[in-house]
Amino acid sequence: MRERQSVAHQLDPAARRVLERVEVDGVELVRFLYADHGGVIRGKAAGRSRLAERLGTGIGHTVAMMAMSILDHLQPVEGMGPVGEVRIVPDPRTFVALPYAPGAAAMVSDLRDLDGGPWAACPRTFLKDAIAALEAEGYAAVAAFEPEFTLGRRLPDPAGGPDRLVPLDDSPCYATSGFDLAHDYTMQLVRALESQGMPIEHYYPELGAGQQELSIRPATALKAADNHVIYRETVRGVAFRMAMWATLAPKPIANQAGNGAHLHVSLWDPALEHNLFADGHGGLSALGRHFIGGVLRHLPALVALTCGSVNSYRRLQPRSWSSAYTCYGMDNREAAVRICSPMSGNIEATTNLEIKPSDSSANPYLSLGAVIHAGLDGIRRELDPGDAVNVDPATLTDEERARLGCARLPASLGEALDALEADELLMEALGPLRRAAYLAVKRSEVADFAAQDVAYETFHHLRVY
Ligand code: GLU
Ligand code: MG
């Protein structure tokens, strides 16, 4: 007991607050969560008796798990074999008691070497490094993932195929019948998110059968990615507890609207007093234009990280409001980068860019980190994004698109991975171990799903995301 008290004594204030919350909330298990290269959220849970130690040392974990695909097929990656251990070390500032899992709490974690330093394949460290690169140039990023998901029930296929998602309703887009039909679930979700410190921005039933969109307030970059992990957990956890199934997979039902997780970004001064994307006249600053230039320059490679699954490319089709071409536009829902019109009366705070080719099958740390690297490249090289495209690019001729520099995004994960491998900036930013593992895992998913039909693909994505 004395030993335990002395361990608690050495902890930082955030960790000590975790121990207090565990006592007050009667928490018995604390999940240490991380997102893997497949974009799957995994973890291990610590009991409360030795939590004080675990907060410092984490829980041991095999290095091999970062070479695991969404099918749990382990890939041969040097440095991620059966020998070797990392620690899942939680960030106490991310502690949340889980409203949908009484007695349990969660923290988002880093993957650390046994000596306590960041492991070369830790995704959260990738984002932290990108944030540090921004900070070194005098910028802080504010971001929000704007997720859509499909609510329904997972039922066996009467024909004996993989389980299917039967959507909750067939209400029209934004129709009030959709609000009513999903109401009990939605209220549980809203309360669960608010109680975990995620204020709700908007909610509405969307276009696809069973499709919901519920967005939360933006936050600084690391917190935005952490929030997206907790959000994904909550959307599914609340549904499971109500004997329903929710999935943020990009295209869980092949003939219905896809689920995006549009990524909203703005750059601020380090004190977060001024939005540097706002030009002071209601428009986008030169810095914002250069950021777009960088994102567009790297976009074919970037989507390998922001739209990380085989299923992602079923969503990225023309005329789906998900974007299918490398262009930007003012409030253009078919442009890959949309300059969102700011809210009058709050212009500075609300000026931001929305990156549409982004979905919840991505690892949010790799995704947002890569967007930051691409945008920063645009800033450093003062890349001009060209003219805004303020029409649906699918309505233009090939010549018109070529003139505007508007190219079709990769049509498959395999094509996107080819572009990623050819992108020196992103490959360098990922580093040798992380990029080897990411490419191995994702190439294996391409091969595994190529050998199967759509029902198999949608099932395995709605199962994990
Ligand atoms: N569901 C669309 C997508 O896949 C987005 C629709 C919207 O603009 O909200 O990105
Ligand atoms: Mg939407």
Side-chain angles (χ1 to χ4, degrees), residues 62-380:
T62 163
V63 287
M65 282 306 294
M66 283 304 274
M68 196 71 107
S69 77
I70 70 166
L71 293 164
D72 268 359
H73 292 169
L74 194 55
Q75 299 310 305
V77 176
E78 208 182 318
M80 293 185 186
V83 181
E85 192 85 348
V86 287
R87 314 286 306 178
I88 313 175
V89 182
D91 181 341
R93 283 167 291 268
T94 65
F95 178 90
V96 281
L98 301 178
Y100 52 87
M107 284 180 273
V108 180
S109 309
D110 293 312
L111 300 176
R112 294 190 176 274
D113 285 330
L114 297 185
D115 64 10
W119 185 40
C122 169
R124 200 161 176 262
T125 300
F126 177 74
L127 176 56
K128 286 183 188 174
D129 289 347
I131 292 168
L134 265 185
E135 268 169 16
E137 312 228 354
Y139 309 121
V142 168
F145 289 88
E146 183 191 278
E148 295 164 331
F149 60 92
T150 309
L151 184 62
R153 286 178 213 286
R154 174 178 159 179
L155 294 178
D157 175 14
D163 287 1
R164 301 158 309 146
L165 182 71
V166 177
L168 176 82
D169 67 2
D170 57 0
S171 63
C173 192
Y174 308 129
T176 50
S177 52
F179 281 91
D180 290 337
L181 289 162
H183 181 74
D184 289 349
Y185 170 84
T186 309
M187 291 318 297
Q188 295 286 344
L189 178 62
V190 164
R191 288 178 197 133
L193 290 170
E194 295 271 358
S195 81
Q196 294 171 96
M198 280 178 278
I200 309 301
E201 178 89 52
H202 296 127
Y203 162 70
Y204 26 82
E206 265 240 32
L207 178 63
Q211 193 179 41
Q212 319 290 324
E213 176 169 331
L214 191 148
S215 48
I216 57 168
R217 301 278 305 144
T220 47
L222 185 63
K223 186 152 176 47
D226 289 342
N227 279 348
H228 193 51
V229 170
I230 300 296
Y231 179 102
R232 283 174 54 186
E233 289 293 283
T234 308
V235 161
R236 285 165 67 81
V238 169
F240 297 161
R241 196 148 174 91
M242 296 177 78
M244 300 172 87
W245 197 270
T247 175
L248 300 98
K251 201 79 164 173
I253 305 173
N255 62 1
Q256 292 290 324
N259 292 320
H262 304 165
L263 183 47
H264 291 260
V265 188
S266 52
L267 292 191
W268 294 63
D269 68 301
L272 300 174
E273 281 167 358
H274 296 291
N275 182 346
L276 306 177
F277 279 2
D279 70 356
H281 309 284
L284 190 71
S285 65
L287 188 84
R289 286 180 57 78
H290 295 148
F291 194 95
I292 297 178
V295 168
L296 292 182
R297 175 70 59 91
H298 294 282
L299 198 54
L302 209 47
V303 290
L305 296 159
T306 59
C307 297
S309 67
V310 167
N311 192 238
S312 295
Y313 295 81
R314 222 173 263 291
R315 164 179 169 258
L316 290 183
Q317 298 295 327
R319 301 203 164 100
S320 305
W321 290 7
S322 58
S323 83
Y325 296 93
T326 58
C327 61
Y328 79 100
M330 188 71 204
D331 278 336
N332 184 349
R333 285 186 161 69
E334 286 292 350
V337 181
R338 167 185 164 214
I339 304 173
C340 303
S341 55
M343 280 193 266
S344 61
N346 202 8
I347 288 177
E348 181 171 334
T350 56
T351 298
N352 73 94
L353 301 176
E354 177 187 51
I355 297 165
K356 285 188 172 278
S358 161
D359 68 55
S360 296
S361 67
N363 176 313
Y365 302 98
L366 299 186
S367 160
L368 181 51
V371 165
I372 289 173
H373 280 296
L376 195 51
D377 188 46
I379 290 170
R380 286 177 177 148

